[in-house]
Amino acid sequence: SPDGLDIAWDAATHTWAVVWSQWPSDSSEAPLMLRRVAADGSPIGPGPERLSDDPDPEDPRWDELPVVTVTSAGEVRAFVWSGDNTTGAYEVGLLRADATGARLGSRILVTPFDGLWQAYPQVASDGARQLVAFNDATAGSLEVGAVLVDESALPGALVPLTSGHIPGNTYSTF
């Protein structure tokens, strides 16, 4: 979703998963947040759950433009444009929560941590696995790449879907 907000239906728990980028007033980071919502539209629990890794003032992260899917087991998977202040590059990251909305582990990088840009993820799911397609600058020009993420949230190899574009072309939002 280009506005930093996405929503998905969880058929296993009959709830909604609403995910957004939270922009603090000091621009120190942009963590991803999750709120579970009942089928009738009422919020569940005491408040939003932070999906992004815990804050690190020495190396703040940016998790933007979430695309959310829920697995058939009820796991919320939010694929994001994850920024790294160390390299200044963006990669495609994966943040997860269990069926109750509790965060599962740390960020998983879906694309290689190579200092090159992989951005604007789009996702389709078969209920267990997700195919993640994105703008990919690995080849030195802007192409489209994809990664298949398995049931255990392990990303496969980056597969180029296009090639031969002119270096320096601009990013698209699909």
Side-chain angles (χ1 to χ4, degrees):
S1 172
D3 56 4
L5 170 72
D6 201 19
I7 185 169
W9 174 250
D10 181 351
T13 62
H14 302 285
T15 60
W16 303 98
V18 181
V19 177
W20 66 94
S21 296
Q22 180 89 21
W23 289 92
S25 59
D26 63 1
S27 296
S28 59
E29 63 171 345
L32 206 67
M33 306 299 287
L34 164 69
R35 186 71 191 250
R36 301 294 283 195
V37 177
D40 67 3
S42 60
I44 298 172
E49 176 77 23
R50 181 187 174 104
L51 291 183
S52 294
D53 296 344
D54 291 333
D56 180 355
E58 300 299 317
D59 188 19
R61 301 295 175 151
W62 304 84
D63 292 318
E64 304 176 63
L65 306 175
V67 180
V68 180
T69 187
V70 180
T71 69
S72 53
E75 181 182 305
V76 176
R77 293 186 176 183
F79 294 88
V80 294
W81 197 29
S82 289
D84 180 334
N85 282 350
T86 303
T87 65
Y90 280 86
E91 304 291 349
V92 175
L94 169 58
L95 301 164
R96 303 175 306 136
D98 66 18
T100 70
R103 181 172 70 184
L104 290 172
S106 298
R107 173 189 296 102
I108 297 168
L109 287 180
V110 174
T111 56
F113 185 64
D114 56 11
L116 301 173
W117 282 65
Q118 285 87 27
Y120 301 113
Q122 295 295 305
V123 180
S125 179
D126 66 6
R129 304 172 304 157
Q130 294 77 44
L131 182 64
V132 186
F134 44 86
N135 289 141
D136 178 22
T138 305
S141 60
L142 187 62
E143 305 295 344
V144 176
V147 171
L148 184 63
V149 176
D150 73 12
E151 299 87 349
S152 300
L154 297 174
L158 191 155
V159 177
L161 300 180
T162 65
S163 64
H165 288 93
I166 299 168
N169 55 353
T170 58
Y171 282 91
S172 72
T173 56
F174 286 87

